[in-house]
Amino acid sequence: MWEQIRSNRIRSAILVAGMGALLLLLGYFLGLYFFDSTTAGLIIALIVWVMMLLIAYFQGDGILLSVAGARKIMRDDHPRLYNIVEEMRIASGLENMPEIYIIDDPAPNAFATGRSPDKASVAATSGLLQKLNRDELQGVIGHEIAHIKNRDVLLMSLAGVILGTVVILAWYATRIMFYSGMSGGRRSSRSGGGQGQIVVLAIGIILMILAPIAAQLLYLAISRKREYLADASSALYTRYPEGLASALGKIATSTTQLKSANKATAPMYTVNPLREEGRAASDLTSTHPPISERIRILRAMAGASVADYDLAYRQVKGRTGIIPVSALNDSGDLALRAASAETEPAEESTEKVKRTRDTSELMWRLGNYRTLVCECGTKLRIPPTLRAPNVRCPHCGRSNELT
Amino acid sequence: MIAVYIIIGIVVILLIMVIATYNGLVRLRNQVKNAWAQIDVQLKRRYDLIPNLVETVKGYMKHERETLEAVTKARNLAQQASSSGAGERAKAEGELSSALARLLVVVERYPELKANQNFLALQEELTSTENKISFSRQYYNDSAMKYNNQTQMFPSNMVAGMMGFKASEFFEVTVAEERAAPKVSFP
């Protein structure tokens, strides 16, 4: 996977440099407008740029996780998710255990973020935990761990934070210009008003155009190739491509839309969360390859190696392969494994009930609710804000003391 | 004079290649060692889980003492074999795996047991530990194959031969058939 890692580094560098250029341009014009000095503007822009880079590098993952409304969980909160992440960590040969986060959302999806393979996070929605069985969850987590292992995560969090800042800055800049423009443009009027006004207006328009273009650039940077590679790695780790294929199928047929996703965070997810409400995700989107195609490739795999994925890709797409040659060389003959016991249809319905119960327990607990079991067997969820000394059971009428 | 420079140049290039190959081999060997340590961690975890499991299950399964004894015995044998080579160890661990699998099949006959929270938590741990064992084994074997390829393929095999890099053993678990597993009679 070294070629992929190197291409990621180059892309990151281009992204960061492009952003810098955009900011310097902004600084140049702002300095001209507000201070009559382009150097002051450039210096300010430079400071903002460096600060942004530092924030994106050291805090990027934290910001993205909080924007997504993700909450960190420990081992005991959801042993199954924790175990699966650890299984995939072992299978991929990743040295450090990533942090695990849960997003309270019924739409099944997941993403990975972080600075490096040593400091990374995996986030899954509660819907994902409810809908997928063990093999499927393993496939999705394998895909996320592959993003960490292939070093896609730094680029993703960097891109997300930078894009967010550009959008916000552009918004404020146009606002400031609009209002100061209304009041006659105090400073620009000194140095020959009319021309300054036009320049300012032009910048405003340029910035408004640039923000969506930056978004587009980000969409291109997080390329489809990366998703295919992560799928191939997931199959390699789990030795069971059917798990991911069937998980993608379940995610695709789910019609709920992820509440917390926006344009900046969309490219991070396993499946593009920004599809229209009520519509299946099988349509073409630019950040993610169509799900149906990903499923077809995974199902066409004859073995579990990266070379098998490449072969299946060529079969489905009828084009040249997707995997870098360096990665193809040292992959041997790897057989697929059988499904785990839980995937059997007979188990599925009881498993589903248990999964749903486990996940909702977890969400109550994460919301700091206390659970009280009444003598009649009813479970009472006590909100953390309740100050009353006792609570009446709505089922049998017994009064339960809160201790 | 030019010829001398050319010779020096060739020697320097060769030296750099040897150093790079050597470092690559060391990295792979460490990866293999590390992967082996991972297997070890997971196998130990399984030894720790089994007494717990047997203790939880015992009360419910009055008529399955043989199965339980077989699991305990296989665990002890595997723990004893943990200091021997990869081949012998793999065999003992394979037997433990099949003894456990048999126990989990028997569990299906006890619905009360399957409702026990303690048991469910243990079952999750056991399933996951089994998975972790096979994933760490998979990673170990992949690493060992990469390393072995490097020690055997030209030209890195020359460096490997000179510096004493030896091919490492694979960890192949031959999951014993239920019939082939040793019958343990309860005294």
Side-chain angles (χ1 to χ4, degrees):
Chain A
M1 293 289 151
W2 287 106
E3 274 179 36
Q4 184 64 17
I5 292 166
R6 203 179 314 124
S7 101
N8 271 355
R9 291 234 171 98
I10 294 167
R11 271 170 206 271
S12 305
I14 291 172
L15 205 76
V16 168
M19 258 312 299
L22 196 72
L23 256 168
L24 287 179
L25 200 74
L26 185 67
Y28 182 86
F29 282 110
L30 283 180
L32 197 71
Y33 179 57
F34 289 111
F35 308 112
D36 277 336
S37 145
T38 52
T39 14
L42 282 176
I43 288 168
I44 291 171
L46 215 65
I47 291 170
V48 171
W49 184 36
V50 170
M51 268 169 55
M52 244 173 63
L53 279 183
L54 289 176
I55 292 171
Y57 187 76
F58 289 105
Q59 293 292 314
D61 47 351
I63 292 170
L64 289 176
L65 284 165
S66 67
V67 164
R71 267 131 88 193
K72 192 175 172 184
I73 62 155
M74 304 316 285
R75 184 169 214 292
D76 292 335
D77 290 329
H78 202 287
R80 178 200 181 92
L81 178 63
Y82 187 96
N83 278 334
I84 287 175
V85 173
E86 194 173 5
E87 284 164 23
M88 287 297 99
R89 176 192 72 81
I90 291 168
S92 67
L94 201 68
E95 272 174 37
N96 288 6
M97 184 73 186
E99 290 181 348
I100 303 170
Y101 288 80
I102 299 247
I103 302 164
D104 186 8
D105 199 306
N109 224 325
F111 71 82
T113 179
R115 189 191 316 161
S116 68
D118 294 330
K119 195 197 170 296
S121 316
V122 173
T125 63
S126 52
L128 192 81
L129 298 179
Q130 269 169 34
K131 292 197 174 74
L132 303 189
N133 66 33
R134 199 188 178 95
D135 280 340
E136 292 162 345
L137 194 56
Q138 210 175 50
V140 172
I141 297 297
H143 175 99
E144 300 309 330
I145 295 283
H147 276 315
I148 294 172
K149 185 86 179 158
N150 299 349
R151 288 173 169 76
D152 296 341
V153 285
L154 174 63
L155 177 60
M156 286 182 198
S157 52
L158 213 60
V161 171
I162 287 177
L163 174 71
T165 321
V166 170
V167 171
I168 291 165
L169 269 185
W171 192 82
Y172 275 114
T174 46
R175 267 298 153 100
I176 289 167
M177 270 165 218
F178 182 72
Y179 286 120
S180 56
M182 291 293 270
S183 61
R186 287 161 298 154
R187 284 176 180 85
S188 61
S189 58
R190 246 191 284 138
S191 54
Q195 214 181 356
Q197 294 282 44
I198 293 164
V199 171
V200 165
L201 206 67
I203 299 167
I205 293 165
I206 289 169
L207 281 175
M208 274 191 275
I209 298 167
L210 269 181
I213 289 177
Q216 208 60 45
L217 269 175
L218 177 68
Y219 272 47
L220 289 174
I222 317 298
S223 71
R224 293 165 164 222
K225 195 173 175 186
R226 221 169 289 263
E227 294 299 321
Y228 285 123
L229 268 169
D231 280 359
S233 308
S234 172
L236 175 70
Y237 300 155
T238 57
R239 303 282 148 104
Y240 188 65
E242 177 55 33
L244 181 59
S246 129
L248 287 174
K250 278 191 187 174
I251 294 171
T253 47
S254 152
T255 49
T256 37
Q257 198 177 23
L258 201 62
K259 287 184 296 241
S260 55
N262 55 39
K263 272 197 171 179
T265 52
M268 299 191 308
Y269 289 90
T270 310
V271 168
N272 184 16
L274 288 181
R275 51 184 195 258
E276 272 172 58
E277 184 99 36
R279 239 174 87 189
S282 43
D283 57 347
L284 273 151
T285 48
S286 54
T287 50
H288 287 66
I291 294 188
S292 57
E293 203 173 274
R294 284 168 69 185
I295 295 174
R296 274 218 305 283
I297 296 170
L298 286 166
R299 294 222 159 113
M301 286 174 74
S305 73
V306 179
D308 287 317
Y309 188 87
D310 199 52
L311 204 70
Y313 179 89
R314 265 181 283 177
Q315 253 172 42
V316 170
K317 303 271 280 185
R319 274 197 261 131
T320 47
I322 188 85
I323 309 296
V325 185
S326 64
L328 284 180
N329 285 338
D330 49 31
S331 60
D333 223 11
L334 304 174
L336 300 174
R337 71 168 167 86
S340 70
E342 207 180 283
T343 311
E344 283 167 26
E347 294 275 314
E348 181 74 25
S349 59
T350 52
E351 268 301 322
K352 207 168 176 179
V353 173
K354 186 178 173 297
R355 283 200 306 258
T356 310
R357 194 176 294 145
D358 282 355
T359 313
S360 74
E361 286 277 343
L362 169 66
M363 294 333 294
W364 285 113
R365 222 171 28 244
L366 283 180
N368 284 328
Y369 275 69
R370 274 200 299 148
T371 304
L372 217 69
V373 183
C374 179
E375 274 175 59
C376 66
T378 313
K379 272 186 189 168
L380 304 173
R381 309 284 186 189
I382 317 296
T385 48
L386 188 74
R387 289 278 169 270
N390 47 38
V391 66
R392 209 169 62 85
C393 172
H395 195 226
C396 62
R398 273 194 203 91
S399 178
N400 289 280
E401 264 187 48
L402 292 173
T403 42
Chain B
M1 207 49 202
I2 292 169
V4 175
Y5 281 134
I6 289 173
I7 289 168
I8 289 175
I10 290 172
V11 167
V12 166
I13 288 170
L14 275 177
L15 210 66
I16 289 172
M17 278 171 68
V18 167
I19 290 170
T21 317
Y22 176 80
N23 285 345
L25 282 166
V26 169
R27 197 180 325 113
L28 280 173
R29 192 171 60 183
N30 285 342
Q31 192 181 321
V32 171
K33 262 191 203 155
N34 202 12
W36 180 258
Q38 280 289 335
I39 302 182
D40 224 43
V41 169
Q42 300 309 327
L43 289 176
K44 289 219 171 80
R45 169 115 185 91
R46 185 159 74 169
Y47 303 151
D48 295 343
L49 274 173
I50 287 170
N52 244 333
L53 177 77
V54 170
E55 208 48 49
T56 311
V57 164
K58 224 191 237 147
Y60 294 87
M61 303 169 83
K62 297 273 189 314
H63 311 292
E64 315 286 350
R65 291 176 84 176
E66 273 182 38
T67 322
L68 287 177
E69 276 297 308
V71 169
T72 310
K73 179 144 193 182
R75 173 203 176 266
N76 293 341
L77 282 176
Q79 203 170 20
Q80 276 161 31
S82 62
S83 47
S84 44
E88 200 158 315
R89 196 168 181 193
K91 194 163 162 271
E93 293 297 342
E95 260 153 34
L96 176 54
S97 286
S98 49
L100 270 174
R102 248 174 303 154
L103 176 63
L104 290 178
V105 167
V106 172
V107 162
E108 295 294 316
R109 286 185 231 145
Y110 296 83
E112 324 92 78
L113 185 56
K114 287 186 82 185
N116 180 328
Q117 280 300 321
N118 208 354
F119 173 75
L120 284 176
L122 263 172
Q123 194 183 25
E124 162 62 32
E125 282 311 302
L126 202 66
T127 312
S128 177
T129 308
E130 289 290 328
N131 284 349
K132 283 171 195 163
I133 289 169
S134 70
F135 283 131
S136 53
R137 198 159 52 79
Q138 173 184 306
Y139 183 66
Y140 170 81
N141 283 339
D142 289 358
S143 308
M145 187 169 69
K146 248 185 246 171
Y147 170 68
N148 288 353
N149 283 348
Q150 284 298 308
T151 57
Q152 285 156 15
M153 282 195 302
F154 185 80
S156 51
N157 65 345
M158 290 165 68
V159 179
M162 275 190 297
M163 306 288 184
F165 285 91
K166 287 193 192 75
S168 59
E169 219 174 327
F170 289 112
F171 194 106
E172 299 288 5
V173 173
T174 42
V175 180
E177 289 293 314
E178 285 210 22
R179 275 164 267 107
K183 262 270 185 273
V184 183
S185 53
F186 196 67

